[in-house]
Amino acid sequence: QDRVVQPFDGTIPFKVSCAQCLLTSNYPNGFVAVLGDTAEELQPTIARARIAADAKRKKSQFHSDHADFVCAICLSTLQLLNRAGNTRSASSQLHVDLMSQLSNCGVQLSETRGDDVHNLQVKLGHHLTSILRMIGKDHDDKYVMILGYQKYPMKLELDLPGGKRHLGETTLDGAVRETEEECSLRIDTEWLASRMPARFGGKHVNPSG
């Protein structure tokens, strides 16, 4: 039986994934934490992210994972929220403190009134809880740049920029891309590479080995 062969138009009717390549690579997934001694110290970085986000918004270039807002929050507040677990049980005063820090950063949550603060539900993303475990109490007085997501009036999710590497990316590549996708902040790749060891895709060399 004769068969008619159609010319290839460049379209593949299925998605090719190389999960094994990602899983067996030496490069782990990662996240980015921008720390400062005060909230004010982080404001220039946050302002750059907001300006870039506004430009993307006007051109409808937002990534689906882009944060609703960027702010600076004290690590001690985040540690208390993390210890509360299901933060519905967190004290009203803790939520008041969080709302105050958001307000100081110019963030106003939609449809959230001051007298409703005790009903606020706060979820901490896994990147954020990871760094809280890593640093312990040593840096509780410092502030960290946080991404905020508010999908419902009284529900808030806080996290750090980060995520899974794409095929062929190093940890550094993935961190830089995820940061721009999620908060529009562009990281100086060369500057970051000079401070990251080669096992993460960087160029930093530890003299002590």
Side-chain angles (χ1 to χ4, degrees), residues 126-143:
H126 65 279
H127 301 309
L128 181 52
T129 56
S130 293
I131 195 173
L132 292 176
R133 288 193 299 269
M134 289 167 57
I135 64 177
K137 299 180 180 180
D138 296 339
H139 303 285
D140 270 5
D141 58 338
K142 292 187 179 295
Y143 285 75

Side-chain angles (χ1 to χ4, degrees), residues 3-209:
R3 302 180 64 183
V4 178
V5 179
Q6 298 294 332
F8 179 59
D9 63 0
T11 302
I12 301 176
F14 54 87
K15 181 179 180 180
V16 178
S17 177
C18 189
Q20 184 178 1
C21 180
L22 289 172
L23 291 172
T24 58
S25 168
N26 291 327
Y27 295 117
N29 297 320
F31 53 82
V32 174
V34 182
L35 299 174
D37 291 328
T38 64
E40 290 72 23
E41 186 177 329
L42 295 179
Q43 287 309 309
T45 301
I46 292 173
R48 286 196 296 271
R50 289 174 175 172
I51 291 171
D54 287 341
K56 284 186 176 182
R57 186 179 291 108
K58 291 176 181 177
K59 297 179 181 179
S60 300
Q61 294 178 339
F62 259 8
H63 191 273
S64 59
D65 293 332
H66 200 284
D68 295 320
F69 61 84
V70 183
C71 62
I73 298 178
C74 187
L75 282 169
S76 61
T77 301
L78 295 169
Q79 290 283 20
L80 289 173
L81 286 169
N82 191 37
R83 293 188 197 111
N86 178 359
T87 52
R88 182 178 296 186
S89 64
S91 69
S92 295
Q93 185 54 48
L94 180 55
H95 285 161
V96 169
D97 180 36
L98 174 63
M99 295 288 284
S100 175
Q101 293 183 53
L102 292 177
S103 179
N104 290 340
C105 266
V107 175
Q108 297 295 329
L109 302 183
S110 63
E111 302 180 44
T112 302
R113 303 188 304 273
D115 56 349
D116 284 338
V117 68
H118 61 282
N119 292 321
L120 184 65
Q121 296 179 41
V122 184
K123 177 183 178 183
L124 304 187
H126 65 279
H127 301 309
L128 181 52
T129 56
S130 293
I131 195 173
L132 292 176
R133 288 193 299 269
M134 289 167 57
I135 64 177
K137 299 180 180 180
D138 296 339
H139 303 285
D140 270 5
D141 58 338
K142 292 187 179 295
Y143 285 75
V144 61
M145 187 186 80
I146 292 293
L147 310 188
Y149 302 85
Q150 187 187 15
K151 303 306 180 185
Y152 302 97
M154 298 304 297
K155 292 185 178 182
L156 183 65
E157 181 171 354
L158 306 175
D159 207 354
L160 301 176
K164 296 179 180 178
R165 293 178 299 106
H166 286 180
L167 185 62
E169 283 186 332
T170 64
T171 302
L172 185 150
D173 295 333
V176 170
R177 174 185 52 74
E178 289 281 352
T179 301
E180 183 171 5
E181 288 179 354
E182 295 179 356
C183 68
S184 298
L185 184 66
R186 289 190 176 184
I187 299 176
D188 185 330
T189 306
E190 287 300 314
W191 175 87
L192 186 58
S194 68
R195 289 158 174 79
M196 288 183 69
R199 68 179 183 274
F200 298 131
K203 303 176 182 178
H204 178 70
V205 177
N206 187 345
S208 63

